[in-house]
Amino acid sequence: MVLLVTRPEPQASAWAEALRQAGVPAQALPLIAITAPPRPDEVSRLWHEMAERHDSATSPTGARPPASHGPRALMFVSPAAVEGFFHLRPEGCAWPQGTLATAPGPGTAQVLLQAGSAAGLRQDHIVSPAADAEQFDSETLWPLLEPLPWHDSRVVIVSGGDASGAQGRTWLTERWRESGAQVETVQTYQRGPGAWTPQQAELARSALADPGTTWLLSSSQALDFLLDHHLPGLGAEHWHPSRATDLRLLCTHPRIAEHASRRGVLHTQRCAPTLASVVQARRSPS
């Protein structure tokens, strides 16, 4: 009854170790590889624009900085977005005290605090759903943000993407624009299927041969990479698209389970993207 943790590294190994310590047999098998963004200069430019906001906010006039200076808030879509953003921080740039850092869940918020503390980011800068929220997504985050004054403010979605550019959060972007904010995106990393090592490929072959193996999925894109890239690469003797019906998935969001159903996967279970919820799901399998 092995659970395969498919998050990008180093998250996959960290989650697998934590699950094993909690009594859940787990192995890391990343489905998404994280690489540098195609235009890192855009991240550097954003940091300098944030510094402009800081300088305006601390000027003797005390005037509110216009949206054309620095952003009022940055929305970090994932831990990888956080790590990429702070990895590309130019020397000497600090987090502006008047700028919010928003996150869809406590996991990303925790990484934010860890990565941003050296730049001056504090807990009171971060807006994120509580650890006991029913879901960790844009829809749960927005009620915390909606009451704030967004008219003529600038907001940046910090996200991943591919060579074509950043892929932001459409629903949240629409809500912010309806509230009068100017919204843009910046890409801090690229996502791709990567390449499995021989050991990882052997782990996948063993998983396909064991009907009790479950794949822990925190991304619909990860499932696409699994079905369209990784498993076909094992060869026809190990994988055929019709076998998608046999896969067992543990999905950390309803939308992932819905996407899996559209891809032909019949066996899905849902849980929250927290260690406790994953452990509980493994103890009470559907």
Side-chain angles (χ1 to χ4, degrees):
M1 298 288 289
V2 173
L3 182 66
L4 297 179
V5 183
T6 64
R7 289 170 176 265
E9 289 288 20
Q11 298 174 48
S13 291
W15 269 78
E17 175 61 25
L19 285 164
R20 288 193 295 269
Q21 291 182 3
V24 176
Q27 296 290 332
L29 188 57
L31 300 181
I32 297 178
I34 301 297
T35 58
R39 291 171 289 277
D41 57 302
E42 294 183 356
V43 183
S44 177
R45 183 167 59 250
L46 176 58
W47 270 107
H48 287 296
E49 291 168 351
M50 291 168 65
E52 291 179 15
R53 177 183 174 86
H54 175 74
D55 293 341
S56 298
T58 57
S59 68
T61 63
R64 179 183 177 184
S68 59
H69 279 191
R72 170 74 174 89
L74 273 65
M75 163 60 182
F76 294 88
V77 306
S78 66
V82 174
E83 292 163 354
F85 181 76
F86 284 96
H87 177 72
L88 293 170
R89 177 170 69 101
E91 184 177 357
C93 286
W95 186 269
Q97 298 309 299
T99 300
L100 296 176
T102 74
T108 301
Q110 182 180 11
V111 175
L112 253 175
L113 194 58
Q114 293 170 345
S117 59
L121 180 70
R122 302 192 308 264
Q123 181 67 56
D124 60 312
H125 295 136
I126 300 174
V127 180
S128 177
D132 60 354
E134 184 175 349
Q135 293 290 344
F136 302 133
D137 52 22
S138 298
E139 290 85 344
T140 308
L141 173 64
W142 179 243
L144 305 177
L145 299 172
E146 186 176 16
L148 302 178
W150 295 110
H151 186 68
D152 286 338
S153 294
R154 182 180 168 205
V155 174
V156 180
I157 309 291
V158 183
S159 70
D162 53 29
S164 65
Q167 298 169 354
R169 298 213 165 191
T170 304
W171 185 90
L172 188 59
T173 295
E174 291 174 352
R175 301 291 82 73
W176 254 315
R177 286 175 174 162
E178 290 170 356
S179 296
Q182 302 173 24
V183 185
E184 60 196 71
T185 59
V186 66
Q187 183 178 353
T188 63
Y189 66 98
Q190 288 191 80
R191 294 186 298 264
W196 277 345
T197 65
Q199 293 79 10
Q200 290 171 328
E202 181 57 35
L203 178 58
R205 284 190 285 267
S206 298
L208 292 176
D210 181 1
T213 298
T214 298
W215 304 72
L216 176 61
L217 285 175
S218 56
S219 163
S220 295
Q221 186 180 46
L223 176 61
D224 290 338
F225 286 160
L226 176 66
L227 298 179
D228 301 334
H229 176 84
H230 290 298
L231 295 183
L234 298 177
E237 68 272 27
H238 298 288
W239 175 253
H240 186 274
S242 63
R243 293 191 62 192
T245 58
D246 299 328
L247 295 176
R248 292 186 176 274
L249 309 181
L250 180 57
C251 306
T252 63
H253 196 281
R255 281 195 290 266
I256 303 173
E258 293 164 4
H259 182 69
S261 179
R262 290 192 293 269
R263 292 299 312 261
V265 180
L266 300 181
H267 309 288
T268 61
Q269 185 182 2
R270 301 179 187 178
C271 68
T274 65
L275 181 67
S277 182
V278 173
V279 171
Q280 179 59 35
R282 296 304 287 163
R283 290 174 178 169
S284 305
S286 60

